[in-house]
Amino acid sequence: MTYDKNVSPVGWYLVSYLLRFVELDDKDKNNDNARFLSWENSILVRAADQDEAYEKGVKMAHAATEPYQGGSAGVPVQWELVGVTEVLPIYEEPGDGAEIAWTERAPRLLKNLKKMVRPKGSFRQ
């Protein structure tokens, strides 16, 4: 059997997608130079390959984009899907301790690496 780093041997993929927050009546909502609050969400998707994972991820992301009335003024707002940012194969069955993603980082001084580490309890928002 041939190994392909783009194919999950366990049928799971991490799909990340970007949503932006828009006020539906904002005249600048389609201005490429306007600033928008955004969220990048990552979800697990079971799929046969990256293309299927992408399609399932888009479908699931669209589920979070229904317009609604926001704030006390009831302003028409919506989280709008900008697009998919990553489709990464998972190489182990999901479970405690399973590695589902990794990022290679450029070499840094040890003192700067230590600054990246956050203590327990600091992850709450």
Side-chain angles (χ1 to χ4, degrees), residues 1-80:
M1 182 171 180
T2 323
Y3 171 76
D4 183 345
K5 70 177 185 174
N6 297 307
V7 176
S8 169
V10 295
W12 285 100
Y13 293 83
L14 180 74
V15 178
S16 297
Y17 58 88
L18 191 63
L19 298 173
R20 71 181 178 125
F21 184 77
V22 295
E23 291 185 12
L24 296 178
D25 296 332
D26 183 354
K27 64 179 178 57
D28 285 328
K29 71 180 178 190
N30 294 314
N31 178 347
D32 284 341
N33 294 313
R35 293 183 181 270
F36 296 91
L37 175 66
S38 63
W39 280 3
E40 185 171 12
N41 296 335
S42 297
I43 58 175
L44 286 176
V45 174
R46 184 177 284 285
D49 57 36
Q50 282 184 315
D51 290 340
E52 182 184 354
Y54 178 96
E55 294 300 326
K56 287 179 83 172
V58 167
K59 183 177 179 180
M60 291 175 184
H62 274 296
T65 63
E66 290 296 318
Y68 61 96
Q69 306 297 312
S72 59
V75 176
V77 295
Q78 179 178 19
W79 284 98
E80 183 178 279

Side-chain angles (χ1 to χ4, degrees), residues 100-117:
I100 61 165
W102 55 270
T103 302
E104 183 174 333
R105 301 191 185 256
R108 294 187 174 140
L109 298 174
L110 177 56
K111 67 181 180 179
N112 293 334
L113 288 173
K114 290 178 179 180
K115 290 177 186 177
M116 296 173 63
V117 177

